[in-house]
Amino acid sequence: SEVIQDISQLIGYHENQSGSAPLDSDGRILQRSKRGWMWNQFFLLEEYTGNDHQYVGKLHSNMDKGDGNVRYVLTGDGAGTLFLIDEKSGDIHATKRLDREEKAMYTLVAKVLDRTTNAELEPDTEFNIKIHDINDNAPKFEKEIYFASVPEMSEVGTSVATITATDADDQTYGNSAKLVYSILQGQPYFSVDSENGTIKTALPGMDREVKENYQVVIQAKDMAGQMGGLSGTTTVSITLSDVNDSPPRFANHSFRVTAVESTEIGGAIGRIKADDPDVGRNAEMEYSIVGGHDIFNIITDQTTQEGVIIIKKALDYENKRDYEFRVEVKNTYLDARFIHGLQFKDYATVKVTVEDVDEPPVFTRNPYIIEVHEDTAAGSFVGVVSARDPDADNKPVKYSIDRHTDLERLFNIDSVNGTITTLKALDREMSKWHNISVVATEINNPRQTTRVPVFIKVLDVNDNAPEFAMSYDTFVCENVKAGQLIQTISAVDTDEPLVGHKFVFSISPTNPNFTIVDREDNTANILTKRGGFSRREMSMYFLPVVISDNDYPIQSSTSTLIVRVCACDSRGNMQTCNPEVLPFSDGLTTGALVAILLCVIILLMIVVLFAALRRQRKKEPLIISKEDVRDNVVSYNDEGGGEEDTQAFDIGTLRNPEVMDANKLRRDIIPEMLFPFRRTSPIKDNTDVRDFINGRLQENDSDPTAPPYDSLATYAYEGSGSLAESLSSLESAATEGDHDYDYLSNWGPQFKKLAEMYIGKSPDRET
């Protein structure tokens, strides 16, 4: 037994069967005798409906002599609950119905024990119970109802949607999961592909405007659609999507619209609408007036798809009362597939009737521009405004001035005839324009009013005398000569004559000091009449200058020019005009010395202030308070490798530093070759299998490149170097009677038990 255990662990002693097992006349799986004591796979039909426990199979060990000393024990998936084993005979039964869709295979472990000592007679053996499928699941669709769409007028065979079902039965076993699709409702409009569930159109010319929605019922049946198969159904709601196959049409080709004459320009007076059975973009329309129109226009309301008639020019009931024009409507988007033979436009006639309303008065002009001279006396005539009632009754009108536009109350208006007069004298130099609003109101209906702007321009009258254009700072040098220019003067006048300004300058001809020369360009030069001016005698002269204009009536004024006497250098540049200050010998005046002294004092004050600020400034201590003491923190941005970083610090060094391997590879990275190739020495003849296993075990334990996790090493060595060759039954003969096992007695005491099992066995062994 010990040898068998080692071999079974080494070579996978129990055979892994594939395919179907042979059955007896009762449907039971036949047993097969071999070096092992059981098969490792049984088959069982799901959904067993019998009252008794369903028989699964039989376990039998060669150690069982039929004397009742052997006890069979079953462990694993469902052992003791789903599966029971007869301790004496080894028969396995299922206790209840099994469903392959819940679990297709159960893995169990069989034990053979001595009934008296509970010692294991054979190594534990693992085997599988596989559930065979039956057709017990109907096809199912993912949804109870699907939604799909297809354009109207589609050709026959146009794909609509693909609807598929699923079957939980085994796809690889029989026809339990082979589905066939059919249509139960929706013919003759649609059809379905029996293999893939694709729904297609089956009828040409399906019109959305006639019928838009269809309910199609699809059936999926397993067993390839044969009788007795299970089926499932679902509903597909198919909607025909719109295409532009219908032109717009007017339900009524004649429209009447009424508009009041007071409608503002751009205002809407009516709407017309054409019908288009299409929807969305296919139903968008555009309206236009055939040939255009001077008074009316039509635009499209994109929300309601209506044609809105608007006013381009003001209506007048008294001028024209009736209008007529033709409107065209057409689709903005056309489908080339349907334009042949159809005209996607329509026409209608629109008649507009203008209604009379009580209109406000209308001024003969808008605006009014009136001119009036300034200095006109109060009550003088300014101008006349006129308004009338445009209605046929021609009701009387009264006039008034909006006082918000004439806050100074400069004007007045006659309420009957509209005559505007002045209430105060006007001054053009104060305001050149006056803008007022005149209101005309119907006497019988005060709510009907009209306003008109009146612009009153004040014309100029020569009522202002000219004067100096600026204030002059004139001086004359003490050493000046006669006839030297000391100043050029000019004049301004607030009046605005039509021919422009022309000024005349003059001074008294008896003036002994100065004379004037008119330059004929509205400027004049002031010249000295003598030399030898002295500040001690006269430091300042006052020169009256008479300035006259040439307008009617002539206006003149006298302006005084102040001339100071100053000391000048040889080139005529002024140095000083103060009569008390005399020049020093070194050329610096008292004023210059005072200025220099002030600058020095200011500089000294700045230096003293700067030094004081430097003394008051205190250096802040490095540590302000005792609490503000900071340790030096050095940050090392070196991140460890976590649990796998065993190379950076090997915990094994702490346990036994002497066994540290300097060439040990890191385990936190993948080596270039995880399992390096190493050549092993061939196994010598008659080498013990246990030595071979121990040798391989020591090689792996001492390998520093082995992975850090547990791994399974599979050894396929079956003793090819031994005299008995392979112990596997894979290549054994069909019957064991052909073998001669006498040589087992020569293998030594380790194979004594095996020799007794095979040499002393009766030739009529159980098969």
Side-chain angles (χ1 to χ4, degrees):
S1 299
E2 182 178 1
V3 175
I4 291 297
Q5 180 178 356
D6 292 338
I7 294 177
S8 65
Q9 291 176 354
L10 174 63
I11 65 174
Y13 175 75
H14 300 291
E15 180 183 5
N16 184 10
Q17 298 291 332
S18 62
S20 302
L23 306 177
D24 58 11
S25 59
D26 296 330
R28 299 179 180 179
I29 299 175
L30 293 175
Q31 292 181 256
R32 177 186 176 192
S33 176
K34 58 175 191 173
R35 293 184 183 88
W37 52 274
M38 58 164 290
W39 285 33
N40 72 337
Q41 185 162 286
F42 296 94
F43 295 91
L44 180 66
L45 289 177
E46 66 172 337
E47 300 293 342
Y48 172 70
T49 58
N51 295 326
D52 297 332
H53 291 174
Q54 184 179 7
Y55 177 77
V56 177
K58 181 180 182 65
L59 299 180
H60 183 75
S61 173
N62 293 331
M63 300 297 296
D64 188 357
K65 304 302 182 179
D67 54 3
N69 291 328
V70 175
R71 182 168 65 93
Y72 296 93
V73 178
L74 193 63
T75 61
D77 294 343
T81 55
L82 295 179
F83 302 101
L84 299 178
I85 187 170
D86 191 314
E87 294 183 353
K88 296 181 179 180
S89 63
D91 292 338
I92 302 175
H93 293 82
T95 61
K96 65 176 183 179
R97 300 169 59 182
L98 301 177
D99 190 354
R100 188 200 66 85
E101 286 69 41
E102 293 182 1
K103 192 168 185 178
M105 186 173 63
Y106 296 84
T107 301
L108 296 99
V109 177
K111 296 178 180 289
V112 180
L113 305 177
D114 187 287
R115 183 175 296 276
T116 304
T117 63
N118 279 335
E120 291 188 3
L121 302 178
E122 294 284 351
D124 295 349
T125 301
E126 183 180 283
F127 66 95
N128 300 324
I129 297 179
K130 186 176 181 181
I131 309 301
H132 263 310
D133 183 52
I134 63 173
N135 188 22
D136 59 342
N137 290 278
K140 292 183 180 180
F141 290 92
E142 184 179 354
K143 301 178 182 178
E144 294 183 358
I145 183 169
Y146 292 83
F147 296 92
S149 64
V150 64
E152 62 175 334
M153 299 296 177
S154 296
E155 298 180 356
V156 175
T158 301
S159 177
V160 178
T162 299
I163 310 299
T164 57
T166 57
D167 195 320
D169 291 324
D170 193 352
Q171 302 284 341
T172 62
Y173 181 76
N175 294 327
S176 298
K178 186 175 182 180
L179 305 181
V180 173
Y181 299 92
S182 61
I183 185 169
L184 302 182
Q185 177 183 327
Q187 296 175 332
Y189 306 103
F190 301 95
S191 63
V192 64
D193 191 302
S194 61
E195 294 183 358
N196 56 29
T198 301
I199 303 174
K200 301 179 181 179
T201 57
L203 191 66
M206 287 190 292
D207 193 353
R208 186 197 66 84
E209 287 75 32
V210 177
K211 186 177 181 180
E212 182 177 4
N213 297 313
Y214 296 84
Q215 299 295 322
V216 178
V217 178
I218 302 298
Q219 181 192 66
K221 191 173 183 179
D222 59 13
M223 297 299 293
Q226 299 176 4
M227 184 178 298
L230 303 178
S231 64
T233 61
T234 188
T235 301
V236 183
S237 178
I238 302 176
T239 301
L240 296 183
S241 58
D242 184 59
V243 297
N244 192 12
D245 59 340
S246 301
R249 290 289 182 262
F250 284 109
N252 186 1
H253 288 79
S254 179
F255 294 89
R256 283 191 172 273
V257 179
T258 301
V260 295
E261 61 175 337
S262 60
T263 304
E264 296 180 355
I265 295 177
I269 62 172
R271 291 172 174 256
I272 62 175
K273 187 174 183 355
D275 297 326
D276 192 332
D278 296 321
V279 294
R281 183 178 68 166
N282 299 320
E284 293 180 358
M285 295 175 284
E286 181 181 8
Y287 297 85
S288 61
I289 296 178
V290 179
H293 203 279
D294 296 335
I295 307 297
F296 303 98
N297 190 20
I298 188 169
I299 59 176
T300 303
D301 188 334
Q302 298 297 332
T303 303
T304 62
Q305 294 300 314
E306 294 178 319
V308 182
I309 303 173
I310 60 175
I311 301 296
K312 291 172 56 178
K313 192 175 181 180
L315 302 175
D316 189 357
Y317 173 82
E318 288 73 25
N319 185 23
K320 189 174 182 179
R321 304 181 181 181
D322 296 300
Y323 298 89
E324 182 176 329
F325 51 87
R326 199 168 181 224
V327 175
E328 176 189 87
V329 62
K330 61 182 180 180
N331 282 130
T332 57
Y333 168 76
L334 298 178
D335 194 331
R337 297 176 298 173
F338 304 103
I339 60 176
H340 304 290
L342 288 177
Q343 189 176 14
F344 280 78
K345 61 177 63 176
D346 200 9
Y347 300 91
T349 301
V350 178
K351 296 180 180 180
V352 180
T353 301
V354 181
E355 292 183 348
D356 186 28
V357 295
D358 188 5
E359 299 177 88
V362 177
F363 284 93
T364 56
R365 287 188 295 169
N366 188 5
Y368 286 89
I369 300 177
I370 302 175
E371 294 180 347
V372 60
H373 288 281
E374 64 175 333
D375 295 335
T376 301
S380 300
F381 173 81
V382 176
V384 178
V385 297
S386 177
R388 66 175 183 85
D389 184 7
D391 297 324
D393 297 341
N394 194 15
K395 300 173 183 177
V397 176
K398 66 177 181 178
Y399 304 92
S400 62
I401 295 177
D402 186 355
R403 291 305 173 184
H404 292 90
T405 62
D406 184 24
L407 298 177
E408 298 179 0
R409 290 187 173 270
L410 299 177
F411 304 97
N412 191 26
I413 189 170
D414 191 303
S415 62
V416 177
N417 56 26
T419 300
I420 301 174
T421 58
T422 59
L423 292 176
K424 298 178 182 178
L426 305 179
D427 188 358
R428 192 197 66 85
E429 286 70 37
M430 295 295 296
S431 180
K432 298 179 181 180
W433 287 90
H434 295 277
N435 304 329
I436 64 174
S437 295
V438 176
V439 181
T441 306
E442 288 187 11
I443 296 178
N444 297 334
N445 187 4
R447 292 178 297 178
Q448 296 296 336
T449 61
T450 303
R451 304 167 65 91
V452 67
V454 179
F455 305 119
I456 300 174
K457 181 180 181 181
V458 181
L459 300 178
D460 183 50
V461 174
N462 191 25
D463 56 350
N464 293 281
E467 56 186 11
F468 279 152
M470 57 183 296
S471 178
Y472 295 100
D473 183 15
T474 306
F475 69 92
V476 62
C477 296
E478 290 181 317
N479 56 355
V480 71
K481 297 180 181 180
Q484 188 168 346
L485 175 66
I486 62 172
Q487 185 67 61
T488 298
I489 61 175
S490 62
V492 293
D493 193 342
T494 56
D495 294 324
E496 293 182 358
L498 297 177
V499 296
H501 292 290
K502 178 60 179 175
F503 302 123
V504 178
F505 302 90
S506 63
I507 61 174
S508 175
T510 61
N511 192 313
N513 302 313
F514 304 100
T515 184
I516 190 169
V517 177
D518 197 336
R519 301 178 62 181
E520 303 296 333
D521 59 354
N522 293 333
T523 62
N525 292 334
I526 305 297
L527 307 175
T528 58
K529 204 172 186 180
R530 67 177 179 86
F533 290 90
S534 174
R535 288 178 291 167
R536 295 181 181 273
E537 296 177 359
M538 181 69 70
S539 63
M540 191 177 297
Y541 293 89
F542 296 93
L543 180 62
V545 179
V546 179
I547 307 173
S548 304
D549 59 20
N550 64 342
D551 204 356
Y552 180 82
I554 296 177
Q555 300 287 339
S556 64
S557 66
T558 300
S559 300
T560 300
L561 182 66
I562 301 176
V563 182
R564 295 182 297 160
V565 180
C566 301
C568 302
D569 57 13
S570 60
R571 290 176 294 181
N573 297 324
M574 181 184 66
Q575 291 183 342
T576 179
C577 296
N578 193 341
E580 289 84 14
V581 178
L582 296 177
F584 291 91
S585 59
D586 58 356
L588 292 177
T589 63
T590 304
L593 293 175
V594 171
I596 294 174
L597 182 60
L598 289 175
C599 292
V600 172
I601 293 174
I602 292 174
L603 290 175
L604 290 175
M605 292 178 64
I606 293 175
V607 172
V608 172
L609 180 61
F610 181 74
L613 292 177
R614 289 286 301 271
R615 286 195 299 269
Q616 292 179 1
R617 184 180 302 169
K618 295 181 179 180
K619 185 177 180 181
E620 296 182 359
L622 180 61
I623 300 177
I624 299 176
S625 64
K626 295 182 179 180
E627 289 76 15
D628 193 13
V629 177
R630 299 178 176 86
D631 293 334
N632 291 330
V633 179
V634 180
S635 176
Y636 297 99
N637 295 323
D638 185 10
E639 184 176 353
E643 295 180 356
E644 297 180 357
D645 191 5
T646 58
Q647 185 66 23
F649 184 79
D650 190 359
I651 194 65
T653 306
L654 297 177
R655 299 172 180 171
N656 190 1
E658 297 179 357
V659 300
M660 181 177 63
D661 187 2
N663 297 323
K664 186 177 182 181
L665 298 179
R666 292 187 59 176
R667 296 185 179 184
D668 57 335
I669 60 175
I670 300 176
E672 295 182 357
M673 183 179 294
L674 185 60
F675 300 102
F677 174 80
R678 61 176 60 82
R679 184 181 300 275
T680 58
S681 58
I683 305 300
K684 298 180 179 181
D685 295 340
N686 300 326
T687 301
D688 196 327
V689 176
R690 186 182 300 278
D691 295 335
F692 167 76
I693 295 175
N694 291 333
R696 286 296 180 91
L697 179 60
Q698 292 177 2
E699 288 180 4
N700 281 274
D701 289 343
S702 61
D703 185 4
T705 63
Y709 46 81
D710 294 337
S711 61
L712 175 65
T714 303
Y715 305 105
Y717 178 68
E718 297 186 351
S720 58
S722 65
L723 296 177
E725 295 182 350
S726 176
L727 300 179
S728 174
S729 61
L730 294 177
E731 299 178 357
S732 301
T735 61
E736 297 185 10
D738 300 333
H739 291 282
D740 184 8
Y741 299 104
D742 294 335
Y743 60 87
L744 294 177
S745 59
N746 300 325
W747 283 15
Q750 294 179 342
F751 293 89
K752 180 179 179 181
K753 187 67 175 179
L754 184 63
E756 293 177 356
M757 291 173 56
Y758 284 86
I759 296 177
K761 202 182 314 183
S762 175
D764 55 348
R765 293 187 299 269
E766 183 181 17
T767 60

